[in-house]
């Protein structure tokens, strides 16, 4: 459920007509709903009620400061995967003790930055990383709190580019080697083992892979405790999927996911962390675009939009499906036509949908891509020197531009010409 609904014949974001934002901000732009964001965060919080927990929002899904601050004020921690994200989390006012640092290639500079600024834990993904972190922590006279990310060799049954929990993936250390690696960690004076981490992939539409992974983590917890490690925290990753179409079967609910967590690891007495990204922000955002041209082709008509693959890359990168709806509500029973919906970028991959049935549209009409809040704006680029797409946040009847569209001068002036030219 989200807060982008038709009212009086047009699409609203909470209490603001989307067309009104478009008139002020220009298209394309991303628009997020505070109520939807908050609601999704609270669903996780409620799902883990009764268990000591921290929800560390995986901010790579959408990392605008205003989004981070909205969630931080509800009590969210942050899962960061780079020094830049760490700096953003701090800039949004998130205290270090609520930030976990994930990622397979943390640099020493990033480690130093997080240790100096405060960190809840590093989720370490390899032995060389462990050795580097030990050195950096010792050089600062500190001990770095760590979990080791284990790879449980579970098939997440999701798109290959976002599956991370099989042994062929680059993530984590094989769970079969975990006891050996934890023994090495315990012998490093700059590290303090606090728990175990696992994350098996994104856009999971079934609970079963989570169950298999968490059962393995529960067994490992007991084995590591028997080896003398103080395993007091379990980071269970993110990955719960969202519905991208209104017709397909519903992915599991956070409440059922929470139940599964309690069933599989609840008896261990560990503090639970989860790192949801997509489910928090995915359906809390839309991408609004204008139809530039309607172009008749052979056997198909092209709807050429002012949004392109540089603004929303998911269809090109993951074959992702997004519902695309007109901002003016279609009349009931309005005739539909099949369109190929494309952007202006000079690549055939700049195609959002093929033979998509849509009510008749004309030049100048606005459309909205639904479920575009996660992995949308954050993956945008300025390819074709198209200005980075702006972001807007709605809160009831108010809205604010939370990232402005850069001018051409701002874009061009980031380049410098060497003195020999
Ligand atoms: C991407 C990622 C997440 C979030 O995944 P979602 O599918 O957006 O919930 C959580 N943890 C880690 C380590 C990740 O890489």
């Amino acid at each position: 459920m989200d807060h982008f609904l038709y009212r009086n014949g047009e699409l609203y974001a909470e209490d603001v007509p989307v067309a009104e934002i478009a008139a002020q901000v220009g298209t394309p732009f991303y628009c997020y709903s505070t109520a939807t964001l908050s609601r999704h965060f609270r669903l996780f919080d409620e799902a883990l009620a009764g268990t000591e927990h921290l929800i560390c929002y995986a901010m790579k899904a959408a990392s605008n400061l205003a989004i981070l601050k909205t969630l931080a004020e509800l009590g969210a921690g942050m899962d960061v995967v780079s020094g830049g994200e760490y700096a953003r989390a701090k800039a949004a006012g998130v205290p270090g003790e609520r930030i976990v640092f994930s990622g397979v290639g943390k640099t020493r500079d990033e480690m130093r930055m997080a240790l100096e600024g405060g960190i809840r834990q590093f989720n370490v993904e390899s032995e060389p990383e462990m050795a580097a972190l030990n050195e950096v922590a010792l050089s600062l006279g500190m001990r770095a709190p760590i979990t080791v990310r284990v790879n449980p060799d579970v098939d997440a049954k999701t798109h290959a580019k976002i599956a991370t929990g099989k042994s062929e993936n680059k993530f984590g250390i094989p769970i079969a080697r975990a006891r050996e690696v934890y023994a090495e960690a315990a012998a490093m004076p700059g590290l303090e083992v606090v728990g175990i981490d696992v994350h098996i992939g994104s856009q999971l539409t079934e609970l079963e892979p989570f169950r298999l992974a968490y059962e393995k983590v529960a067994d490992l917890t007991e084995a590591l405790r028997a080896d003398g490690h103080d395993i007091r925290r379990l980071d269970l990753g993110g990955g719960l999927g969202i519905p991208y179409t209104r017709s397909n079967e519903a992915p599991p609910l956070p409440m059922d996911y929470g139940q599964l967590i309690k069933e599989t690891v609840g008896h261990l007495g560990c503090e639970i962390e989860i790192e949801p990204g997509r489910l928090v922000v995915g359906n809390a955002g839309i991408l609004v675009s204008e139809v530039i041209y309607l172009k008749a082709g052979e056997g198909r008509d092209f709807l050429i939009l002012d949004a392109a693959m540089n603004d929303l890359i998911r269809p090109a990168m993951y074959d992702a499906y997004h519902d695309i709806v007109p901002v003016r509500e279609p009349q009931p029973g309005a005739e539909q036509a099949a369109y190929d919906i494309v952007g202006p970028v000079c690549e055939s991959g700049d195609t959002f949908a093929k033979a998509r049935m849509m009510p008749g549209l004309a030049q100048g009409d606005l459309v909205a891509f639904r479920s575009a809040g996660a992995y949308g704006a954050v993956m945008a680029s300025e390819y074709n020197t198209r200005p980075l797409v702006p972001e807007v946040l709605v809160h009831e009847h108010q809205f604010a531009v939370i990232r402005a569209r850069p001018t051409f001068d701002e874009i061009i002036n980031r380049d410098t010409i060497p003195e020999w030219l």
Side-chain angles (χ1 to χ4, degrees), residues 39-110:
R39 180 185 133 80
H40 289 165
F41 178 80
R42 289 205 183 95
L43 286 178
F44 280 113
D45 217 13
E46 285 159 19
L48 292 177
T51 329
E52 195 190 348
H53 68 272
L54 182 68
I55 299 162
C56 295
Y57 168 62
M59 62 181 274
K60 73 177 194 278
S63 58
N64 188 290
L65 285 191
I67 292 175
L68 302 186
K69 193 149 199 299
T70 300
L71 294 170
E73 284 180 0
L74 297 172
M78 297 289 151
D79 173 44
V80 308
V81 293
S82 70
E85 285 196 349
Y86 179 85
R88 271 185 184 275
K90 292 301 287 277
V94 183
E97 66 263 21
R98 281 203 265 144
I99 303 175
V100 304
F101 206 139
S102 297
V104 68
K106 303 173 199 78
T107 66
R108 286 165 189 255
D109 283 346
E110 289 174 325

Side-chain angles (χ1 to χ4, degrees), residues 58 60-61 79 102 149 199 201-203 237-240 275-278 375:
K60 73 177 194 278
D79 173 44
S102 297
R149 176 168 175 181
H199 170 74
S202 196
Q203 186 52 19
L240 204 57
E275 303 168 342
R278 189 188 306 270
Y375 307 104

Side-chain angles (χ1 to χ4, degrees), residues 263-285:
E263 276 167 32
T264 49
V265 300
H267 60 288
L268 297 165
C270 287
E271 178 183 7
I272 301 299
E273 288 167 1
I274 54 170
E275 303 168 342
R278 189 188 306 270
L279 201 143
V280 175
V281 74
N283 290 337

Side-chain angles (χ1 to χ4, degrees), residues 200-218:
I200 57 173
S202 196
Q203 186 52 19
L204 270 73
T205 53
E206 296 171 33
L207 285 180
E208 205 47 31
F210 288 118
R211 179 183 298 281
L212 294 173
Y214 297 169
E215 281 170 352
K216 290 189 182 191
V217 168

Side-chain angles (χ1 to χ4, degrees), residues 26 28 33 63 74 127 167 195 198 228 235 243 303 325 340 348 353 362 385 403:
S33 148
S63 58
L74 297 172
E127 288 156 290
S167 54
V198 70
D235 182 334
L303 210 53
V325 299
D340 279 15
S348 296
T385 308
R403 187 174 71 195

